[in-house]
């Protein structure tokens, strides 16, 4: 069913592998790493200790121009060669590497430290997925297609504990991701006004420093996102800031004409910029500014033009950000229908991130938008989604069929248009006054796909699910097929729940998805209650109708009550307890409400359930 072709299985798929057929490298007890680094980079040494524990590391510095190299072999086999003649083109030199497997040793070589870092990530996956302790002799040459390959932390709703976020960053690096978009909202430790910090879950400055250090440690550049126009519900909800709203009814949008708007946002930007000294970018948000040019001052000043009001304020933010040495970025949607003459007034120092999550014609839409912006000298970035609304409001886990299609269309579009920054957006809610989507850890399968297709635009093929099962869970395709039969890339969320025992790696993710799946089965059933309630109204007092209503109530309510403690327990492994509990309550709220109202009215209550339900 797929071209899954061991012995070497990786995510992302490496670009070139040639098996030489000249024997195999066998790992022995006396293996050591010989390291040669042109410039000292302790991150490489720590990577070796973390990902290959127990293997001693010897060597160190190398002369100028020797590059970065590591060999793995018996201690007598000596130092790796320098990078002379490395088969990586100049376009891939920043992160490309060469990996050679020979009977006596494995050698990884790169011109830059980041390339060596990625080569070692590949080596880790080869050892993880190899059968036994030997690797067949081969030559690998590998480098990325996309310069900036990004994932996304959205902290607006629930998020994982800090140590889980650090683990996620390490996993991003295994997938060769080098950029991380972070939207903090009220989780950022704002100093300008403590009311802007979430009372319980804002990071402390120390925690934020830990998070950013984890990114640096893994060669990941953080792109902080600070909304500066709309989606400011977490600010404008406070009485002190309500006067800055465009209209009293707009909960999320600032009025650009109120003098306090610019002052507040630039103060917040100052703090964001100061906390991210290494980041070349600041994302200014600016999507979905619904209330625009509605107040009297704006209407007069901008002649009733929403676009003119938008560009005026955005230009001030671009100026402010660019003056501080950062590349400003905004979402594209507010400029979507902007007439050309007005668009020409947009400060071209901004980069526009095009986010399109659905529809069949991504290539056509993105091509038209890209041409429009590039004509004005404006740089373009891409944003598919690894998780967004789709047709499943709760998003307990992503709708794989939509997400993979979206990512695949973006892969081809980015290739055609040469878009060199593509971020897999991963939303935790529709907006900040919403309820949480499924938790971050349910998105690894889709994240891996995004990593696969941004590193290597030939990736993302039909064998992806097999490679993911092998690399991420340690499961071979034959074992998967033996249990679940036929499957395709789109089936991950339906099959992984069967491997909560067998998964060698990330068993906790399999358990998490299994619980979410069981919850969905239980809620799908309980939605049918209205049919039985309706029939009871149609045939009041009928014995058979009563029995049918009762049977359904017992089955559905028991199913829900059984999954509730499991859901709480599994979520608390990833998230702070009260965030996990908030998630559970959000899922059960309506069911509990119906239990207290409609069901009670129909004479149904939990005393009718078998006793075992609360075990
Ligand atoms: Zn206004």
């Amino acid at each position: 069913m797929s071209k899954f072709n061991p012995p070497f299985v990786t995510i992302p798929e490496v670009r070139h592998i040639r098996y030489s057929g000249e024997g195999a490298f066998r790992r022995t007890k006396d293996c050591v790493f010989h390291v040669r680094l042109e410039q000292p980079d302790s991150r490489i040494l720590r990577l070796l200790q973390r990902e290959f524990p127990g293997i001693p590391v010897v060597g160190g510095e190398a002369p100028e121009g020797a590059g970065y190299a590591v060999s793995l072999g018996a201690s007598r086999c000596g130092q790796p060669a320098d990078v002379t003649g490395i088969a990586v083109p100049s376009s891939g030199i920043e992160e490309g590497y060469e990996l050679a497997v020979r009977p006596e040793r494995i050698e990884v070589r790169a011109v830059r430290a980041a390339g060596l870092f990625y080569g070692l990530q590949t080596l880790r996956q080869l050892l993880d997925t190899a059968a036994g302790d030997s690797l067949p002799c081969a030559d690998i040459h590998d480098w990325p297609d996309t310069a900036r390959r990004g994932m996304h932390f959205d902290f607006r709703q629930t998020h994982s504990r800090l140590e889980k976020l650090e683990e996620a960053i390490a996993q991003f690096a295994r997938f060769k991701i080098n950029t991380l978009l972070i939207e903090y909202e009220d989780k950022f430790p704002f100093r300008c006004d403590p009311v802007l910090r979430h009372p319980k879950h804002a990071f402390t400055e120390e925690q934020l420093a830990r998070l950013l250090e984890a990114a640096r440690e893994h060669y990941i550049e953080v792109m902080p996102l600070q909304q500066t126009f709309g989606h400011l519900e977490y600010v404008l909800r406070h009485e002190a800031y309500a006067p800055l709203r465009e209209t009293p009814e707009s909960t999320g949008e600032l009025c650009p004409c109120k003098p306090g708007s610019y002052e507040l946002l630039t103060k917040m930007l100052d703090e964001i910029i100061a906390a991210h000294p290494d980041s070349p970018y600041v994302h200014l948000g600016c999507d979905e500014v619904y209330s625009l040019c509605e107040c009297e001052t704006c209407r007069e000043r901008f002649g009733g033009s929403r676009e003119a009001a938008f560009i005026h304020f955005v230009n001030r933010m671009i100026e402010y950000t660019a003056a501080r040495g950062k590349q400003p970025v905004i979402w594209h949607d507010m400029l979507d229908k902007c007439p050309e003459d007005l668009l020409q007034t947009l400060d071209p120092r901004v980069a526009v991130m095009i986010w399109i999550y659905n529809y069949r014609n991504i290539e056509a839409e993105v091509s038209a938008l890209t041409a429009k912006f590039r004509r004005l000298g404006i740089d373009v970035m891409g944003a598919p989604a690894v998780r967004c609304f789709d047709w499943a409001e709760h998003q307990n886990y992503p709708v794989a069929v939509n997400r993979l299609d979206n990512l695949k269309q973006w892969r081809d579009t980015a290739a055609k248009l040469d878009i060199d920054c593509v971020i897999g957006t991963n939303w935790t809610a529709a907006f900040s006054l919403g309820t949480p989507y499924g938790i971050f850890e349910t998105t690894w399968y889709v994240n891996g796909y995004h990593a696969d297709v941004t590193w290597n635009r030939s990736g993302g093929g039909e064998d992806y699910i097999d490679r993911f099962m092998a690399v991420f869970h340690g499961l071979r395709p034959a074992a998967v097929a033996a249990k679940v039969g036929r499957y395709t890339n789109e089936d991950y969320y339906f099959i992984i729940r069967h491997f909560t025992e067998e998964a060698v790696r990330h068993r906790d993710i399999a358990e998490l998805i299994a619980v979410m799946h069981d919850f969905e089965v239980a809620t799908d059933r309980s939605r049918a209650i209205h049919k039985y309630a309706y029939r009871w109204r149609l045939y009041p007092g009928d014995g058979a109708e009563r029995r049918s209503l009762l049977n359904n109530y017992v089955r559905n309510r028991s199913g829900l009550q059984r999954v509730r403690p499991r859901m709480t327990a599994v979520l608390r492994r990833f998230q702070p307890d009260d965030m996990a509990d908030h998630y559970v309550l959000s899922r059960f709220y309506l069911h509990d409400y119906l239990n207290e109202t409609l069901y009670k009215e129909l004479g149904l209550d939990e005393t009718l359930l078998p006793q075992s339900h609360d075990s």
Side-chain angles (χ1 to χ4, degrees):
M1 60 167 292
S2 79
K3 65 185 176 87
F4 183 83
N5 186 24
F8 289 169
V9 182
T10 58
I11 291 178
E13 193 163 30
V14 301
R15 186 178 300 273
H16 300 293
I17 302 183
R18 193 182 59 84
Y19 298 104
S20 70
E22 289 160 8
F25 169 83
R26 246 165 258 288
R27 245 176 100 178
T28 53
K29 283 209 179 75
D30 66 339
C31 269
V32 300
F33 278 117
H34 282 276
V35 182
R36 293 181 81 204
L37 308 176
E38 183 185 315
Q39 295 283 325
D41 192 328
S42 54
R43 292 176 290 184
I44 296 289
L45 304 177
R46 286 192 296 271
L47 176 77
L48 290 172
Q49 285 157 6
R50 266 197 319 270
E51 298 286 338
F52 307 88
I55 302 180
V57 177
V58 299
E61 283 174 37
E64 185 78 23
Y68 297 81
V70 164
S71 65
L72 174 66
S75 50
R76 64 182 183 284
C77 83
Q79 291 199 352
D82 65 23
V83 289
T84 312
I86 188 169
V88 172
S90 57
S91 61
I93 221 77
E94 290 302 322
E95 298 177 311
Y97 65 92
E98 195 180 272
L99 191 155
V101 183
R102 300 286 179 268
E104 71 284 5
R105 67 179 182 184
I106 296 174
E107 208 165 271
V108 188
R109 302 189 304 150
V111 178
R112 303 271 189 269
L116 180 60
F117 182 82
Y118 292 130
L120 290 168
Q121 297 288 6
T122 298
L123 175 60
R124 180 67 265 171
Q125 290 191 8
L126 299 187
L127 293 170
D128 281 346
T129 53
D133 267 348
S134 76
L135 295 180
C137 286
D139 286 290
I140 291 176
H141 304 110
D142 197 19
W143 61 90
D145 277 324
T146 314
R148 290 192 179 272
R149 308 168 301 280
M151 295 290 186
H152 178 201
F153 278 162
D154 169 13
F155 293 147
R156 295 172 308 151
Q157 281 277 341
T158 67
H159 60 76
S160 310
R161 297 173 194 278
L162 180 57
E163 60 272 22
K164 292 290 177 192
L165 297 173
E166 290 170 316
E167 277 175 33
I169 286 172
Q171 184 60 45
F172 290 155
R174 289 182 197 115
F175 286 159
K176 302 187 174 73
I177 286 298
N178 64 2
T179 301
L180 175 57
L181 177 69
I182 303 185
E183 182 163 4
Y184 296 97
E185 246 188 23
D186 55 358
K187 310 309 182 304
F188 187 85
F190 285 110
R191 277 191 264 188
C192 59
D193 184 349
V195 82
L196 299 174
R197 294 187 184 198
H198 190 283
K200 266 195 200 152
H201 294 297
F203 293 109
T204 63
E205 279 159 37
E206 294 69 32
Q207 288 169 331
L208 178 62
R210 250 179 76 183
L211 184 74
L212 298 176
E213 182 49 36
R216 214 190 72 80
E217 178 73 11
H218 291 88
Y219 293 84
I220 289 173
E221 237 162 30
V222 171
M223 182 191 292
L225 191 159
Q226 173 59 53
Q227 285 286 5
T228 53
F229 209 159
H231 282 307
L232 286 164
E233 291 87 357
Y234 74 104
V235 176
L236 301 177
R237 68 185 304 160
H238 299 293
E239 218 172 291
Y241 297 111
L244 298 183
R245 295 178 185 179
E246 175 63 19
T247 67
E249 294 76 32
S250 38
T251 51
E253 298 86 32
L254 281 175
C255 169
C257 290
K258 304 251 165 76
S261 294
Y262 180 81
E263 277 65 37
L264 173 68
L265 263 302
T266 50
K267 252 194 307 191
M268 293 169 79
L269 277 177
D270 282 343
E271 294 194 35
I272 293 282
I273 289 170
H276 300 83
D278 304 333
S279 302
Y281 300 104
V282 176
H283 198 310
L284 302 170
C286 300
D287 58 320
E288 299 176 335
V289 186
Y290 299 118
S291 306
L292 201 53
C293 214
E294 287 178 10
C295 83
E296 225 177 282
T297 320
C298 282
R299 279 208 308 267
E300 260 175 46
R301 178 154 182 198
F302 303 111
S305 162
R306 286 166 55 86
E307 284 84 6
F310 180 77
I311 291 178
H312 166 80
F313 192 66
V314 170
N315 275 348
R316 295 184 76 192
M317 290 295 142
I318 294 169
E319 166 61 35
Y320 192 84
T321 310
R324 277 146 193 83
K326 303 290 184 181
Q327 158 85 66
V329 181
I330 59 170
W331 299 116
H332 85 281
D333 54 287
M334 295 302 294
L335 302 168
D336 203 355
K337 297 188 175 67
C338 186
E340 190 85 16
D341 58 329
L342 263 175
L343 200 57
Q344 281 172 5
T345 64
L346 179 69
D347 189 330
R349 286 175 294 180
V350 74
V352 173
M353 193 176 275
I354 299 172
W355 62 279
I356 299 186
Y357 299 159
N358 275 307
Y359 314 116
R360 295 296 314 171
N361 55 344
I362 282 176
E363 186 184 316
E365 284 196 40
V366 175
S367 298
L369 286 165
T370 299
K372 184 159 101 167
F373 293 124
R374 284 182 176 166
R375 262 201 308 275
L376 300 170
I378 294 170
D379 201 12
V380 163
M381 298 172 170
V386 301
R387 186 212 300 282
C388 64
F389 185 85
D390 282 326
W391 60 62
E393 187 194 344
H394 279 339
Q395 285 295 313
N396 291 307
Y397 42 83
V399 180
V401 61
N402 289 6
R403 294 305 101 224
L404 299 191
D405 179 51
N406 180 248
L407 293 166
K408 202 186 296 178
Q409 288 191 63
W410 264 104
R411 171 195 67 186
D412 300 340
T413 302
K416 190 180 159 212
L417 302 174
D418 200 18
I419 295 176
D420 68 355
C421 173
V422 186
I423 310 284
T425 54
N426 191 341
W427 300 102
T428 61
F431 78 132
S432 49
L433 304 185
T435 54
Y437 285 168
I439 70 170
F440 175 85
E441 283 78 3
T442 62
T443 58
W444 278 120
Y445 180 70
V446 196
N447 281 332
Y449 193 87
H450 176 61
D452 206 44
V453 301
T454 47
W455 177 272
N456 180 350
R457 286 173 182 154
S458 317
E462 280 173 27
D463 64 330
Y464 172 71
I465 189 164
D466 284 333
R467 285 187 288 120
F468 186 84
M469 291 299 241
V471 170
F472 195 76
H473 290 300
L475 295 162
R476 309 295 287 184
V480 176
K483 198 152 192 181
V484 301
R486 284 161 51 91
Y487 55 89
T488 66
N489 273 346
E490 285 72 26
D491 294 328
Y492 173 77
Y493 291 101
F494 302 103
I495 64 173
I496 189 59
R497 66 197 164 92
H498 297 294
F499 298 92
T500 54
E501 303 287 329
E502 293 95 328
V504 177
R505 289 183 284 279
H506 299 111
R507 195 176 297 164
D508 55 347
I509 305 293
E511 286 165 11
L512 169 68
I513 293 164
V515 170
M516 293 299 158
H517 176 270
D518 293 349
F519 168 76
E520 299 224 320
V521 170
T523 47
D524 277 353
R525 278 204 189 130
S526 71
R527 271 187 216 120
I529 187 66
H530 70 274
K531 290 187 262 182
Y532 301 99
Y534 164 71
R535 286 194 64 93
W536 180 241
R537 192 186 176 124
L538 208 60
Y539 302 104
D542 182 279
E545 297 286 345
R546 182 75 195 166
R547 193 64 253 169
S548 166
L549 173 66
L550 194 61
N551 289 349
N552 276 282
Y553 173 76
V554 168
R555 196 160 52 232
N556 299 338
R557 190 72 193 163
S558 305
L560 274 171
Q561 293 298 58
R562 269 197 305 274
V563 80
R564 189 188 307 234
R566 290 173 59 215
M567 188 189 252
T568 304
V570 79
L571 289 172
R572 282 179 173 209
R573 288 160 69 176
F574 298 97
Q575 299 201 327
D577 288 357
D578 58 341
M579 277 190 179
D581 296 349
H582 160 50
Y583 187 103
V584 176
L585 279 174
S586 75
R587 292 328 191 243
F588 282 85
Y589 172 75
L590 192 60
H591 301 289
D592 290 348
Y593 181 74
L594 287 176
N595 201 49
E596 290 306 310
T597 53
L598 174 67
Y599 302 165
K600 202 165 250 176
E601 218 174 274
L602 297 172
L604 305 169
D605 65 60
E606 291 192 0
T607 60
L608 300 165
L609 305 185
Q611 285 310 300
S612 62
H613 82 267
D614 54 9
S615 64

